[in-house]
Amino acid sequence: MDTRSKILTLESALALEPARPLALVAGLFDVLRTAHARELAGVRSRADAATLMAVVLPDAQAVLSQRARAELVAALRVIDYVVAANDAELDRIAAALAPAAVVRLEDADRVRLRQLIAHVHSRQAR
């Protein structure tokens, strides 16, 4: 399966009629790590979501492009749909789809990236 088919345009996302309940997870997903997969599975489980949609937000400091990050998230089995969007578009998606849960992960993503950078630097110092 080409997981890129999970990636929707904003218009497609707004018109979607997903299986309910729907959980919406917004994040940066820059340098995807196992912690992301565990956290996304936890969100799906806690929300008892039949559908899990990830919204990949822009970040000027990101290592990867927004499209590349969307493709990485789409490759995760736990994710049903992915949309690359900004904050205003995220609000539109949430209003249109009325998810049972909305989880924001941007702060956690920034912490994970700082931890990864620190880990790489500590390995280089050896």
Side-chain angles (χ1 to χ4, degrees):
M1 171 185 198
D2 184 353
T3 57
R4 290 174 295 184
S5 65
K6 293 180 179 181
I7 301 173
L8 305 176
T9 63
L10 176 62
E11 295 75 27
S12 296
L14 293 171
L16 191 67
E17 294 185 26
R20 302 288 177 169
L22 164 70
L24 192 62
V25 179
L28 305 175
F29 306 106
D30 193 29
V31 186
L32 199 61
R33 299 175 66 195
T34 55
H36 284 105
R38 281 194 295 272
E39 188 158 22
L40 293 167
V43 168
R44 184 176 204 135
S45 178
R46 286 188 302 278
D48 196 25
T51 304
L52 183 60
M53 178 184 284
V55 178
V56 180
L57 298 169
D59 183 17
Q61 312 252 335
V63 173
L64 300 171
S65 71
Q66 191 175 17
R67 176 65 189 195
R69 293 181 281 131
E71 289 178 7
L72 287 173
V73 175
L76 296 175
R77 184 177 304 151
V78 71
I79 294 294
D80 297 299
Y81 299 104
V82 178
V83 181
N86 61 37
D87 280 317
E89 292 165 337
L90 170 61
D91 292 342
R92 286 182 59 201
I93 294 166
L97 298 182
V102 177
V103 178
R104 304 287 304 245
L105 299 177
E106 304 97 282
D107 291 339
D109 285 346
R110 286 186 183 98
V111 168
R112 284 188 195 106
L113 185 56
R114 282 194 302 272
Q115 290 171 338
L116 176 62
I117 290 167
H119 174 72
V120 169
H121 285 228
S122 73
R123 306 257 321 163
Q124 288 176 338
R126 292 181 188 175

